[in-house]
Every structure is written in structure tokens, then in C-alpha cells.
Amino acid sequence: MGGESEYLAECFWPGVREAELRALDERAHSSVAQLSAGGHPVRYLGSLLMRKDEVVLCLFAGSPEAVREAAELAEVPFDRIVESARSPWHTADTE
């Protein structure tokens, strides 16, 4: 899936517990497997908990439609889904 975009599902989740995050990760992996098997390539890349802010960020890769469908199927309690980018910011052609 070269050239795919990455998206963060932002979740304000007061009182979230690690067991809930493990369950969320399992649901997300299941949902992307189901969608990918159905011809909608999408990947779940994991989650990040910011305890103090009670925010969970779930990272997906794929088309915006497939990412939204995967997050909804996995019952990710997101407020919004936004396109994201990760470092390194340089590319091979700038080195």
C-alpha cells in the first residue's frame, strides 16, 4: 500500500483504563482485518494514551473512508479523525 495516508482518531476518554485500551486495540485489529479482506486496505498502527489529558490517539493508515469505517466498526470513541504525518520529515531525494 505505498503512498497511503495516515490518520489519527482523537478520543477524549476520561477514566480510560489499560484493559479498555487493550480491548480497543483488539477490536481495531479485527476491524482492519475484516475490511482489508473485503478489499478495503487499511491498517491499524496502534494507540497512544496521554494520561494527564485523558486523550487516546489511534493511528490508522489507508484511505480516509476506510479509516473512518475501521474506527467505527471497532467502536473507537473518536471525536474526529485527522490526517497526520510522522518524522523523519526529510525524504530520500533531499539527502
Side-chain angles (χ1 to χ4, degrees), residues 41-73:
V42 61
R43 295 183 301 138
Y44 178 63
L45 304 174
S47 61
L48 178 65
L49 169 62
M50 294 179 289
R51 293 181 197 278
K52 185 176 179 182
D53 294 330
E54 299 183 308
V55 170
V56 176
L57 303 175
C58 298
L59 185 61
F60 291 87
S63 72
E65 298 81 16
V67 166
R68 179 168 290 278
E69 189 173 354
E72 289 173 348
L73 186 61

Side-chain angles (χ1 to χ4, degrees), residues 3-89:
E4 68 190 359
S5 294
E6 292 184 357
Y7 296 87
L8 282 173
E10 299 177 331
C11 313
F12 178 62
W13 198 343
V16 65
R17 297 184 182 165
E18 287 184 22
E20 292 169 305
L21 289 178
R22 281 191 294 278
L24 174 125
D25 284 344
E26 289 174 14
R27 291 193 312 270
H29 282 293
S30 288
S31 73
V32 300
Q34 180 180 340
L35 290 170
S36 291
H40 303 282
V42 61
R43 295 183 301 138
Y44 178 63
L45 304 174
S47 61
L48 178 65
L49 169 62
M50 294 179 289
R51 293 181 197 278
K52 185 176 179 182
D53 294 330
E54 299 183 308
V55 170
V56 176
L57 303 175
C58 298
L59 185 61
F60 291 87
S63 72
E65 298 81 16
V67 166
R68 179 168 290 278
E69 189 173 354
E72 289 173 348
L73 186 61
E75 299 176 6
V76 174
F78 63 89
D79 297 309
R80 67 183 186 149
I81 296 177
V82 295
E83 190 169 11
S84 61
R86 294 188 281 167
S87 64
W89 301 111

